[in-house]
Amino acid sequence: MKNILFIAPPAAGKGTQSSLIEKEYHLPHISTGDLLRNASVEDSELGSYIREILSSGALVRDDIIYDLLKKRITEADCQQGYILDGFPRNVEQAEKYDEMLQELKQQLGYVIVLEIPENILAKRVTGRRICENCGAVYNLNTETEQPQQESTCDRCQGRLLQRNDDNIESFRHRYQVYMEKTKPLLDYYRQKGVLYVINGEGTVEEVHQRILAVLKGEAKHD
Ligand code: AP5
């Protein structure tokens, strides 16, 4: 299986869709946001730097991302392909990633972009809740994604928490960073003939089906 790379603005459904593909295709799901959130709990200068940047909505320094990513994609479970969610976020990262792939003798694979209007993203971001125990993701603002009880996980009864950066101020900054730094990557990957732009609106299942069409070779690249 080829690698799958998701590019999309905050709360567009990268994590949700990556988890579905992970189950179906048995590929590891690598979220640079999750790698950073794990590193942020460390009681160190690095942990404190990452915490501060995450809550502001800015991008973490490229060298930190490269170290975390390279370590992860060279692990044994990534040798048959992986799903990358949240990387690259700017052209410098994309160029560095090309170098990494060359070094590892791997192909880029599919680059899938989820397109979705800002007002829907704002609604998804403020409604997102995550189980502190099993990581299940819910949304209070979307009927089909709501938990049965507002603060309890349906699957494991764990407590549902809100991410520090899931507030409207941080969202606005993340969205602006996406438009300025990440969106130019669409041209970068379009020129390589690996870009698939998908409509990210609709139910989780509808978006999933559009992605499956790409992976089954039923969609044309942009
Ligand atoms: P990251 O964790 O990647 O955050 P993000 O890009 O802002 O994306 P999100 O995790 O918010 O959203 P998502 O698209 O995964 O949406 P989800 O599926 O959860 O990064 C966080 C921070 O880390 C960055 O701001 C930056 O500081 C740093 N960082 C990360 N990578 C970096 C990099 N490469 N370089 C530098 N810094 C980096 O869905 C959202 C909600 O919507 C959920 O509640 C879900 O249930 C719901 N939902 C999903 N799909 C649907 C649907 N179809 N209909 C209705 N509801 C839906």
Side-chain angles (χ1 to χ4, degrees), residues 8-17 31-34 36-37 53-54 57-62 65 85-90 93 114 116 124-125 127-129 137-140 142 144-145 163 165-166 174 200-205 207:
K14 300 182 290 295
T16 303
Q17 295 299 333
S31 151
T32 45
D34 285 345
L36 288 166
R37 279 183 285 279
I53 297 291
L54 288 185
L59 293 182
V60 169
R61 260 180 18 229
D62 289 345
I65 300 290
D85 152 11
F87 179 92
R89 295 283 244 262
N90 56 36
Q93 290 187 5
L114 303 176
I116 189 153
R124 287 192 188 173
V125 111
R128 173 167 41 200
R129 296 293 182 275
V137 180
Y138 298 89
N139 203 287
L140 304 184
T142 310
T144 51
E145 305 304 313
R163 257 168 54 177
D165 57 349
D166 275 351
R174 279 149 70 197
E201 284 189 73
T203 63
V204 169
E205 185 52 29
V207 178

Side-chain angles (χ1 to χ4, degrees), residues 9-13 116-127 168 171 175:
I116 189 153
E118 188 180 356
N119 61 327
I120 298 183
L121 297 172
K123 199 172 148 201
R124 287 192 188 173
V125 111
T126 49
I168 212 70
F171 164 72
Y175 188 76

Side-chain angles (χ1 to χ4, degrees), residues 1-32:
M1 183 68 191
K2 292 180 186 173
N3 295 331
I4 303 164
L5 199 154
F6 279 104
I7 296 182
K14 300 182 290 295
T16 303
Q17 295 299 333
S18 297
S19 298
L20 293 176
I21 304 290
E22 177 181 29
K23 284 192 199 109
E24 223 157 312
Y25 285 82
H26 307 290
L27 292 175
H29 167 201
I30 305 170
S31 151
T32 45

